């Protein structure tokens, strides 16, 4: 990944003339008005480690790697939120981890944690570097230095149990590599978050990732049958049985712990036979609340889609869901779902709903039929397979689109929350209003789009995409103000501060509102018990 | 419930002559050889509370109740395991809680915990009193007295959200009463453990209960959307959204905590519209491993039964699954499934598999068809609806059957575990062997039956029912030796020490083998953080 982008340099493409015209006319921004990234201006903070430290570290990690090269430290200094990406342009003096250390096994991780405790050096685990919540921030937490602990060597399919449908995967495996290794055995994980091309198994576990097919295969935390976390006081192997009544569920206390309790080195996961059939079907609903009620009925009746999503009117109108693949070749929105629906005899506009079904032929047929019946009974109009196929084809493209929009002077970011069905509309309104008000106050119109990305029997997640114009000297602070407004709206309207992006630095100050003073006390007690010197990712999670 | 029985006195029935003959001929036991319960011999330990304590307690719980009556204390002194039931016969000097206290709201519970911390008095929460793992043991944990904290006043449906499919239920509500209150709104919880007639919502939550319909509706821990636990340091309200990435899942740390962190007073639960269609179908498999492979295929393909169970050859032969309703009228086993299958043209014997489907007509039709296809493809022979209907009709009867067998000199108990599919057969063999060896060493033949009670994509639970003859002066110790052998076999063979009965006193010494030294350290840290004086159920859970 490029420093100031989500994707690689070769993935970067410019926007078509139509979108550039819209950005100019509506948001008043152009490629010239935006912040530019100057690689030559970048400087890394000097490493605070001594030669003696480095010699000791080399001994501690044995066969592993230790580096203080800027080329290693810089990409591990920041994640991939919009503030991160803009900071490469605005703040080229980069606070970096003092070294990058890549141990090769649990014993080396344990030895490294021992050394850190004795020496007063913090660690920040590094997987794919895709955090959008500041989870990589190299905060030494009062210690004299901080290491980036790269899990790259934990990159194997350690074992597979085809009968139980379980595989043990190294924490450093990326999504594509994990799928590749599983495919050799006829299996798939079925976890496809937008960060899939880069994010790692350990990152999914430690941040409670949720994927686009989570309606069918479950959130990542639901797929985890066991995991290994190396803490400063010893190794935890959690998850002995598929289900247990042997006290609190240790797995669910380690999942989402974001490196604050130790380093996740491997995860035992449920895997599925690669599906032999995939069916796609799209629908249009006249408005968001009608569509939301239909998704609710589908999920509460358990009709079984693998993917189900609903874009609101604005997101449907700009055709965001299906248009990311056309960046640079066509302008976004010129082939809108509304127009497609027109061709099929329906009304333009409305809200696009995408469904996808995976499994055996019989399974997908019955699930598709039952789901379609419910959606039609709740006011949906069928649009055929096309829009759902287009979405699937381009589904990892949105962050690359963000890169292009940022390059063209736009301010673009996403945020997400979840709540009960009965509170969904109020939460959506509150967040959209907060974002719009804050951004308008900074002097730009704001396009706030929303979709239901994940459904549960009792509620759903809301995924917001915001496009505005960069304004002022400091667009990072411009966005942070909007983000604060949105976060306060989420807390006030009863949503969770994060449905699948995790806590990191960015949401930490909202955690107590979510879990209460006693909840925070419980977290701190565990942190202190397993990380008595406070060396494990001190900047993240725990208030 | 009667002191020495599971059921009420009026439920008690004797066995038919056929079964009594079998017990006499095979196990060498008769009604005369068994231990008798003598209510007149029962004495309660005197309360250690002073008049001044009781006056203070009356003030602390305000509108609630305080009692030191033996009639209140005795039923809260022991649970309903076979050792508990036999102890009423063998050990009539009963160690009782020093008082029974029934607060009426969270504030009264909090005030009570404050008082306990100051005064050095422990509490044991009491719901339905159905623990089979010693969870009610009135262990003062070194304090000067112990109270039974009865949740009977937390007995209302506090709110219902029909749109989200959620209800807030008081922790003291029994299963039948909760279903009755929900039925007024057209909803059902769908949680039917064998303890259903007596056990409470709070008990289900605090012990990670699993019900007979958990394949369809999920384990109780999966149904919980939120819960309130009053701890000595404050109230925790866990569960803000249907799903969240805001750190470790607090709910999953409170669930299964068995009162060791505080008192659960209410639970917010997913509820379902009462199903409009129920379909039943039974199958026979030639042997257990063929049947287990079929259940595995059903669950891994997600064909969607609400209930699916498989009895092993022995359990099928004695027809335990469907015969409990015939206690006292017919002998068990005379109308075996093998014979029914004969009538349907199949072979006798084999293993009985029961399935049940709930939902809409279309949903149950497709799920039943898809499940049947998989079961037939894996060697099943259809037996029609009859055996599954008979099982459903008598499904809460097994504990009453246990009462009758205990009265006739038999030693009867159940235990359960779970593991991955690939380890299921080895675990079953190890546990059965351990039980048989231990009981034979005590001088009795042992009938060890087993069924798969719950299925998961990656594994299943094993539920063992053991019938032997009471031997020696102390059949409690006779059973405890067999239980220790089984528990060691479970630990050695990689199973969980408990799939749904919980930890309590009985499994506490096996917990560290399951969650490791660091896991125990985490539990103790939380315990100390929220219960600094150690007054919350000190005898349970935490090693």
């Amino acid at each position: 990944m490029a420093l100031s982008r989500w994707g690689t340099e070769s993935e970067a493409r410019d926007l078509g003339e139509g979108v550039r015209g819209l950005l100019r006319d509506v948001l008043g921004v152009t490629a010239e008005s935006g912040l530019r990234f100057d690689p030559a201006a970048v400087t890394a903070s000097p490493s605070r480690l001594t030669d003696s430290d480095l010699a000791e570290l080399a001994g501690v990690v044995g066969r592993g790697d230790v580096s203080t090269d800027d080329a290693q430290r810089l990409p591990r200094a920041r994640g991939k939120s919009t503030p991160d990406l803009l900071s490469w342009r605005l703040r080229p003096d980069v606070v970096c981890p003092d070294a990058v250390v890549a141990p090769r096994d649990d014993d080396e991780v344990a030895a490294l944690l021992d050394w850190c405790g004795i020496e007063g050096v913090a660690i920040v685990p590094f997987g794919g570097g895709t955090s959008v919540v500041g989870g990589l921030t190299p905060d030494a937490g009062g210690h004299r230095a901080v290491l980036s602990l790269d899990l790259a060597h934990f990159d194997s399919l350690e074992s597979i149990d085809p009968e139980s449908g379980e595989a043990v995967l190294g924490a450093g495996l990326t999504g594509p590599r994990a799928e590749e290794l599983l495919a050799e055995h006829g299996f798939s994980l079925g976890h496809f978050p937008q960060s899939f091309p880069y994010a790692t198994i350990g990152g999914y576990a430690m941040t409670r990732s949720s994927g686009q097919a989570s309606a069918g295969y479950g959130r990542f935390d639901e797929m985890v049958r066991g995991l290994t976390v190396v803490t400063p006081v010893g190794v935890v192997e959690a998850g002995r049985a598929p289900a247990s009544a042997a006290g609190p569920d240790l797995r669910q206390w380690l999942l989402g712990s974001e490196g604050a309790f130790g380093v996740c080195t491997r995860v035992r996961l449920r895997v599925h036979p690669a599906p032999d059939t995939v069916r796609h079907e799209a629908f249009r609903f006249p408005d968001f609340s009608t569509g939301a009620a239909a998704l609710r009925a589908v999920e509460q009746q358990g009709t079984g889609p693998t993917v189900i999503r609903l874009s609101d009117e604005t997101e449907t109108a700009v055709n965001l869901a299906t248009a990311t693949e056309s960046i640079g070749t066509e302008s976004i929105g010129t082939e809108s779902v509304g127009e497609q629906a027109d061709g099929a005899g329906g009304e333009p506009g409305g809200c696009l709903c995408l469904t996808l079904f995976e499994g055996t032929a019989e399974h997908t047929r019955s699930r598709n039929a039952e789901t379609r019946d419910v959606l039609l009974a709740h006011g949906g109009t069928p649009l055929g397979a096309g829009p759902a196929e287009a979405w699937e084809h381009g589904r990892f493209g949105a962050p690359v689109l963000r890169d292009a929009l940022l390059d063209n002077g736009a301010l673009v970011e996403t945020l997400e929350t979840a709540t009960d069905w009965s509170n969904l509309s109020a939460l959506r309104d509150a967040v959209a209003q907060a974002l719009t008000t804050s951004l308008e106050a900074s002097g730009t119109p704001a396009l706030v789009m929303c979709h239901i990305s994940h459904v549960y029997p009792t509620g759903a997640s809301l995924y917001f995409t915001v496009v505005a114009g960069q304004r002022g000297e400091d667009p990072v602070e411009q966005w942070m103000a909007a983000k604060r407004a949105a976060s306060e709206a989420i807390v006030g309207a009863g949503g969770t501060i994060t449905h699948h992006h995790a806590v990191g630095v960015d949401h930490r100050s909202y955690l107590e509102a979510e879990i209460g003073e006693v909840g925070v006390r419980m977290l701190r007690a565990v942190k202190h018990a397993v990380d008595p010197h406070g060396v494990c990712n001190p900047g993240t999670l725990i208030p």
Side-chain angles (χ1 to χ4, degrees), chain A residues 139-227:
Chain A
D139 184 341
H143 298 294
R144 68 178 173 98
V146 56
L147 308 177
S148 177
L149 191 161
D150 194 310
L151 288 148
H153 293 310
F154 292 80
D155 62 348
S156 66
L157 168 57
E158 300 189 7
S159 66
I160 188 158
D161 173 351
E163 186 177 350
S164 305
E166 289 184 30
V168 178
L169 292 166
L173 277 170
T174 63
R177 184 65 186 141
E179 287 292 340
E180 207 172 270
L181 291 170
L182 290 170
E184 292 171 10
H185 300 268
F187 285 93
S188 168
L189 195 51
H191 189 68
F192 302 109
Q194 210 160 54
S195 60
F196 174 74
Y198 303 103
T200 57
I201 295 297
Y204 296 155
M206 290 294 97
T207 61
R208 294 186 172 271
S209 171
S210 188
Q212 293 165 347
S214 290
Y217 298 118
R219 295 166 58 84
F220 200 78
D221 50 23
E222 295 172 318
M223 298 179 180
V224 173
R225 291 297 177 264
L227 71 168

Side-chain angles (χ1 to χ4, degrees), chain A residues 404-445:
Chain A
L405 290 165
L406 291 176
D407 282 345
N408 281 274
L411 188 66
V412 193
E413 183 59 303
T414 63
L415 56 85
E416 32 77 72
T417 179
T419 193
D420 293 346
W421 289 109
S422 60
N423 191 42
L424 202 66
S425 175
L427 178 61
R428 175 168 161 257
D429 291 348
V431 176
Q433 184 64 52
L435 287 165
T436 304
T437 302
S438 173
L439 288 165
E440 286 181 354
S442 74
T444 170

